[in-house]
Amino acid sequence: MIRGWYIGASGMNAQQNRLDAISNNLANVDTTGFKKDVAVSKSFSELLIRRTNADGVITMENGSYDVAPVIGKIGLGVETNELYTDFEQGSLKSTDSNTDFALSGKGFFAVSTPDGERYTRNGNFMIGKERILETKEGYPVLGENGYIVLDDDKFYVNEDGMIYTQTDNTLVDRIKVVRFDNERYLNKMGSSLYKTNDIAGEAYIAEGNERPKMIQGYTEASNVNVVNEMVQMIEVNRAYEANQKTVTSEDSMMSTLWQKVAVLK
């Protein structure tokens, strides 16, 4: 019965982690370029149940065999295996602003931060006081030649990310768009920024078929589906309550057992 407490408690912890992920997704449903998190659970190793009244091993001339056959299994609970980011493409929203960009396909904008180079899908940019293209947080957007310096918003960008002035059609720079070997393992850093690691691999400039199309005057919406998240929240609440009832029932049986034993003594 004590095992039942831990099994029920592990289920409650796993559902709490799922609920935290869903709540964060719903809170960022209107965040530009946000990618939802998905909590994945796994079960602990199962125990094999054998007959106790036929326990033992019979030795034979050529070996031995078990006289306690397996009659079933018993689970030992569940735990959260990982919390990963789903980089499914979000819908595109028109903004009619020349400093807004969306990526149609896999890839990331590169920005410069005090902690080093970071990556984002949020293309809601602006021209800063020093005429540098920046994020709303003030981080410079990187081109392949460094910071992107623009006199004003009178410019256009083609699908390959090449920036041209509208006045004399002069090439300014090419927006740096990067890819990773295992982008699923990128770390979220807040403010729609991501950081790479040894598992995700080093960032490399996307070229050819790997390079997403750049769309000017649009931003990418969050890929959170509110209806799906609400359905999952209901499932989590019901699963949490079921595990809670398991713990309560185990506690009631243990209380009854202690009372009976105390009476017999």
Side-chain angles (χ1 to χ4, degrees):
M1 283 184 284
I2 294 178
R3 183 186 294 120
W5 285 343
Y6 290 106
I7 294 174
S10 69
M12 293 169 66
N13 285 332
Q15 298 306 320
Q16 181 63 57
N17 292 334
R18 286 188 62 195
L19 183 61
D20 291 343
I22 293 171
S23 300
N24 184 60
N25 292 340
L26 290 174
N28 288 278
V29 68
D30 291 325
T31 301
T32 303
F34 179 82
K35 300 302 179 184
K36 65 181 180 181
D37 292 323
V38 181
V40 180
S41 301
K42 69 175 182 179
S43 61
F44 294 124
S45 301
E46 295 181 331
L47 289 179
L48 300 180
I49 304 176
R50 297 177 180 272
R51 291 179 182 172
T52 57
N53 61 348
D55 195 9
V57 176
I58 295 181
T59 303
M60 303 174 59
E61 181 178 353
N62 297 324
S64 63
Y65 68 92
D66 195 345
V67 296
V70 175
I71 59 174
K73 299 179 180 179
I74 182 171
L76 295 179
V78 67
E79 67 174 344
T80 300
N81 188 31
E82 66 171 325
L83 183 68
Y84 77 92
T85 303
D86 183 358
F87 286 100
E88 181 183 3
Q89 177 80 42
S91 60
L92 303 183
K93 297 191 301 183
S94 176
T95 63
D96 295 325
S97 172
N98 283 347
T99 57
D100 286 340
F101 306 96
L103 295 176
S104 179
K106 295 182 178 181
F108 298 85
F109 299 105
V111 300
S112 177
T113 74
D115 297 322
E117 188 170 292
R118 296 294 183 264
Y119 312 97
T120 183
R121 292 281 300 190
N122 187 347
N124 185 209
F125 302 142
M126 64 179 185
I127 298 177
K129 295 180 179 180
E130 298 179 355
R131 298 182 297 131
I132 296 176
L133 188 65
E134 300 175 343
T135 66
K136 295 300 183 181
E137 293 76 23
Y139 300 132
V141 180
L142 295 177
E144 295 185 2
N145 297 317
Y147 294 170
I148 301 174
V149 181
L150 300 164
D151 293 330
D152 50 41
D153 62 353
K154 301 299 187 292
F155 65 92
Y156 69 93
V157 179
N158 64 16
E159 292 183 348
D160 196 43
M162 309 293 286
I163 305 174
Y164 297 91
T165 59
Q166 291 182 351
T167 54
D168 54 6
N169 206 35
T170 301
L171 176 63
V172 178
D173 200 347
R174 186 190 191 204
I175 297 178
K176 185 177 180 180
V177 177
V178 300
R179 293 284 304 273
F180 300 89
D181 293 331
N182 297 296
E183 62 185 20
R184 168 177 171 172
Y185 299 102
L186 291 173
N187 296 328
K188 283 188 174 181
M189 305 300 295
S191 300
S192 299
L193 298 178
Y194 297 89
K195 177 184 178 181
T196 189
N197 50 56
D198 293 337
I199 302 176
E202 293 294 327
Y204 61 90
I205 296 178
E207 298 288 359
N209 294 331
E210 283 192 323
R211 188 176 181 89
K213 292 183 178 180
M214 186 87 61
I215 304 176
Q216 187 177 16
Y218 285 79
T219 57
E220 182 184 4
S222 165
N223 67 351
V224 177
N225 186 307
V226 176
V227 176
N228 289 343
E229 296 297 316
M230 292 301 295
V231 170
Q232 290 184 41
M233 182 174 288
I234 294 173
E235 293 176 353
V236 167
N237 287 332
R238 290 178 176 175
Y240 188 92
E241 290 175 357
N243 283 282
Q244 192 176 38
K245 289 180 180 179
T246 299
V247 174
T248 303
S249 299
E250 293 288 340
D251 183 66
S252 177
M253 288 188 293
M254 184 62 72
S255 177
T256 302
L257 176 62
W258 287 338
Q259 291 177 3
K260 297 293 184 180
V261 172
V263 170
L264 292 176
K265 287 187 176 180

